[in-house]
Amino acid sequence: MNKLLSADFAKLKVNKFFWLCTIGMFLFGIFMMTTHYIAMNQYHENAYITNVLFIYATAIAIIIPAFVSLFTGTEYSDGTMRNKLVIGHTRNHIYTSNLICCCAAGLIFCFSYIVGTLIIGIPLCGIQDGTLQGIVILILCSFAMSIAFTAFHTIISMTCQNKALAAVVNILISVFMLVISIYILNKLAQPETYESLNHDPDTGQIMSSGIVSNPDYLEGTIRSIYQFFNDFLPTGQAVNITQNGGLIQEPYLLAIYSSIIILASIVIGMLIFRKRDIK
C-alpha cells in the first residue's frame, strides 16, 4: 500500500492538469477578491472576504470530476493498472491509493483558492469580528464535501476503462446534480409572504394592496424533503457554502452526510472494481 501511495503521489507531482488546476484556483481566488474589492469601492460600500471566500466550493464541483477521470484514467491508458495487478497489488489497495491521492488533490484545489483570496483579502479588507468561527466551520464542511465529491466520481473513473468517456459521464452527472441543487435552493428560498402591488390606472401609481401568502412557499413534509436533499447532495452543499452558508440549517449535518456518501461510495466502488475485467 505504501508503495502504491508513493507511486501515485509521484505521478501527481508531475501531472500537468493537477498543476494547472492548482495554479488556476490560486489565481481565481486573487481575481475574485480583487474584482470584489474594486466593485465595492465604486459603490462606496465595504468589501468583505466572506462574500467571495467560498466560491471555490461550486468551482470544484466541475474541476474534481474532470481531474479524477483524467488522473485515474491514465492508469488504464498507460497499462499501469494491469501492471499493478500483475506484480501482486490487491484491487482494494489500488482503489484506495487512487482515492486518497485524488482526495488530496481536491483539498489542494480548495486550499489554493483560499490562500489566493486571503493573500489579497486580509490586507484590503481584514476579517470581520465574530466571523472566524463560522468561516472555519464552512471551510471544514467544504473539505468534507470535496472528499465526498471525489469518492463519488472515483466509482465511475475506476470502473470505466475509457478515460474520455469517464470524464464526460462524471462532468455531466456533476452538472445535472448542480442544476437540481440550484432548483432546490430556489424553491427553499421562496418567501412565505410577499407584498401584492396593483397599478392605479387613474393616477398611474403603484399601490400596495397588502401582504399575501406565497403559493410557491414550501411547507411541512415537502419542505423537509427539499431541505434534506439541499443538505445531503454534495452539489447542494457546494451551492450553499458558496453563498456563505445559504440555507444551511445545521452545518454539522453536512459533515455527517458527506461521511455517509464517502463510505457508501468506497464500498460500492470497491465491490464493482473487484468484478471488473481489466484489459
Side-chain angles (χ1 to χ4, degrees):
M1 184 65 178
N2 289 336
K3 292 182 178 179
L4 284 173
L5 286 172
S6 297
D8 285 337
F9 276 103
K11 185 175 69 173
L12 182 66
K13 290 179 182 178
V14 297
N15 187 283
K16 294 180 180 179
F17 189 60
F18 165 74
W19 288 109
L20 178 65
C21 292
T22 302
I23 296 172
M25 290 295 286
F26 178 77
L27 296 177
F28 184 47
I30 292 176
F31 171 78
M32 292 303 298
M33 189 67 249
T34 303
T35 53
H36 172 67
Y37 181 78
I38 294 173
M40 291 299 99
N41 275 351
Q42 289 178 344
Y43 293 100
H44 305 289
E45 297 181 6
N46 294 327
Y48 299 109
I49 291 178
T50 51
N51 289 344
V52 296
L53 181 60
F54 303 104
I55 290 177
Y56 69 89
T58 299
I60 62 172
I62 303 299
I63 294 176
I64 285 180
F67 172 79
V68 171
S69 302
L70 296 177
F71 182 79
T72 58
T74 306
E75 297 269 288
Y76 289 108
S77 60
D78 292 349
T80 309
M81 186 71 71
R82 189 172 183 82
N83 292 338
K84 288 180 178 179
L85 292 171
V86 170
I87 62 177
H89 291 295
T90 66
R91 296 197 178 207
N92 283 351
H93 284 173
I94 294 173
Y95 191 97
T96 303
S97 178
N98 275 280
L99 176 60
I100 291 174
C101 193
C102 289
C103 286
L107 294 178
I108 290 172
F109 298 154
C110 297
F111 188 72
S112 181
Y113 177 93
I114 293 171
V115 171
T117 304
L118 294 180
I119 284 177
I120 301 297
I122 290 178
L124 294 178
C125 311
I127 296 180
Q128 292 174 267
D129 294 335
T131 62
L132 184 59
Q133 182 179 357
I135 289 174
V136 172
I137 290 174
L138 286 181
I139 287 177
L140 293 177
C141 287
S142 73
F143 287 172
M145 178 269 297
S146 172
I147 296 173
F149 247 117
T150 305
F152 175 77
H153 289 293
T154 299
I155 297 175
I156 295 174
S157 60
M158 285 294 289
T159 55
C160 178
Q161 299 184 40
N162 187 314
K163 180 170 63 175
L165 178 61
V168 171
V169 171
N170 270 333
I171 292 174
L172 287 178
I173 290 176
S174 188
V175 170
F176 178 70
M177 290 172 59
L178 196 57
V179 171
I180 291 177
S181 295
I182 292 174
Y183 170 79
I184 291 174
L185 185 64
N186 288 335
K187 294 292 288 184
L188 289 171
Q190 289 288 332
E192 188 173 359
T193 60
Y194 63 90
E195 185 179 9
S196 178
L197 302 175
N198 290 323
H199 177 259
D200 189 333
D202 296 329
T203 62
Q205 294 181 340
I206 303 297
M207 307 292 292
S208 173
S209 59
I211 304 298
V212 298
S213 298
N214 183 0
D216 293 327
Y217 179 77
L218 301 176
E219 296 182 289
T221 304
I222 296 297
R223 187 171 188 84
S224 297
I225 293 173
Y226 272 71
Q227 186 65 54
F228 168 75
F229 283 107
N230 180 64
D231 295 338
F232 182 79
L233 291 176
T235 45
Q237 296 184 24
V239 174
N240 276 281
I241 292 172
T242 294
Q243 296 184 352
N244 195 17
L247 293 175
I248 299 174
Q249 293 184 345
E250 299 174 86
Y252 73 89
L253 278 177
L254 303 189
I256 295 175
Y257 290 147
S258 292
S259 299
I260 294 172
I261 294 173
I262 293 168
L263 293 175
S265 298
I266 292 174
V267 172
I268 294 171
M270 284 185 174
L271 289 175
I272 297 175
F273 185 61
R274 285 178 187 176
K275 298 179 181 180
R276 292 294 294 171
D277 180 21
I278 307 300
K279 298 179 180 180

